[in-house]
């Protein structure tokens, strides 16, 4: 089994809009990669996508794409992953994908409000970072546009890129 990682990182302003747009990009790419790499190519059981922002020790982002496959397919699948990310950067996400992500995030937020751990994280965020992550959450999620996601995808692609491929002997 071959394990593939593509990691992008770089400087990015730490603010709520960027955090939520990065989450939307991650979720959109998860949908795209599930369709294109898992279903169309049958090359992996799943592709992990994780994007996040940090304000410590400096304002920055990290975007990780990872999957397992076989020796015969990894180069092709990595090429598809890059091409699909570039497609979202150039054209924005498909409207139905963005809508699905927004609906999911709003639904998950409503469920999170029933969870004590979520409330504790919100209190900690307010204390440490100086903002309330619950304030206007639904409005902010619904205000994310296709252009916002495309611009975030471009920013990620303009960051530093490291590819790691682990091939067993």
């Amino acid at each position: 089994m071959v394990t593939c990682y593509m990691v992008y990182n770089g400087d990015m302003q730490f603010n709520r809009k960027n955090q939520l747009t990065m989450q939307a990009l991650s979720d959109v790419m998860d949908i795209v990669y599930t369709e294109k790499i898992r279903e169309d190519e049958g090359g992996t059981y799943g592709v992990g996508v994780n994007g996040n922002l940090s304000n410590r020790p400096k304002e920055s982002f990290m975007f990780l794409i990872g999957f397992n496959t076989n020796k015969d397919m990894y180069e092709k699948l990595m090429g598809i992953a890059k091409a699909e990310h570039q497609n979202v950067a150039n054209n924005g996400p498909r409207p139905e994908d963005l809508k699905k992500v927004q609906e999911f995030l709003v639904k998950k937020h409503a469920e999170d409000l029933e969870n004590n751990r979520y409330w504790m994280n919100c209190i900690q965020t307010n204390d440490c970072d100086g903002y309330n992550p619950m304030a206007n959450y639904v409005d902010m999620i619904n205000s994310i546009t296709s252009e916002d996601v495309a611009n975030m995808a471009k920013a990620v692609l303009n960051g530093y890129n490291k590819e790691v491929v682990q091939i067993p002997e």
Side-chain angles (χ1 to χ4, degrees):
M1 180 181 318
V2 175
T3 301
C4 304
Y5 294 105
M6 291 176 276
V7 183
Y8 298 86
N9 67 306
D11 297 333
M12 182 172 288
Q13 184 178 8
F14 181 85
N15 61 47
R16 194 69 177 137
K17 179 72 172 185
N18 281 349
Q19 286 179 307
L20 296 175
T21 304
M22 180 66 81
Q23 181 64 55
L25 173 62
S26 296
D27 292 349
V28 162
M29 296 313 302
D30 185 62
I31 292 169
V32 170
Y33 292 151
T34 297
E35 177 187 326
K36 301 293 184 180
I37 294 177
R38 179 182 174 179
E39 294 172 6
D40 291 354
E41 295 297 326
T44 186
Y45 288 114
V47 178
V49 182
N50 183 5
N52 62 58
L53 271 66
S54 178
N55 61 346
R56 288 182 210 94
K58 66 178 191 164
E59 294 182 331
S60 61
F61 76 90
M62 188 277 308
F63 195 87
L64 171 70
I65 304 161
F67 58 90
N68 294 319
T69 189
N70 63 50
K71 286 183 183 181
D72 297 331
M73 296 190 76
Y74 80 91
E75 289 176 329
K76 179 180 181 180
L77 298 183
M78 288 179 76
I80 291 169
K82 292 178 206 174
E84 291 301 327
H85 194 131
Q86 187 66 57
N87 183 49
V88 170
N90 293 342
N91 305 308
R94 296 176 296 200
E96 62 271 19
D97 291 346
L98 181 56
K99 182 174 174 36
K100 182 189 257 185
V101 164
Q102 288 169 316
E103 289 172 351
F104 169 77
L105 291 173
V106 167
K107 179 181 178 215
K108 178 150 181 9
H109 176 70
E111 293 169 359
D112 286 343
L113 290 174
E114 302 294 323
N115 184 320
N116 286 339
R117 182 178 304 264
Y118 178 75
W119 284 90
M120 290 298 296
N121 287 338
C122 290
I123 291 168
Q124 183 179 9
T125 297
N126 193 50
D127 285 346
C128 294
D129 298 327
Y131 73 92
N132 177 354
M134 293 186 297
N136 303 318
Y137 181 87
V138 172
D139 291 338
M140 290 184 78
I141 289 296
N142 288 328
S143 74
I144 296 172
T145 66
S146 179
E147 184 178 359
D148 292 333
V149 176
N151 288 336
M152 183 60 70
K154 287 175 195 162
V156 167
L157 289 174
N158 288 330
Y160 302 104
N161 177 18
K162 182 75 73 178
E163 295 177 6
V164 177
V165 179
Q166 299 172 320
I167 303 172
E169 303 250 344

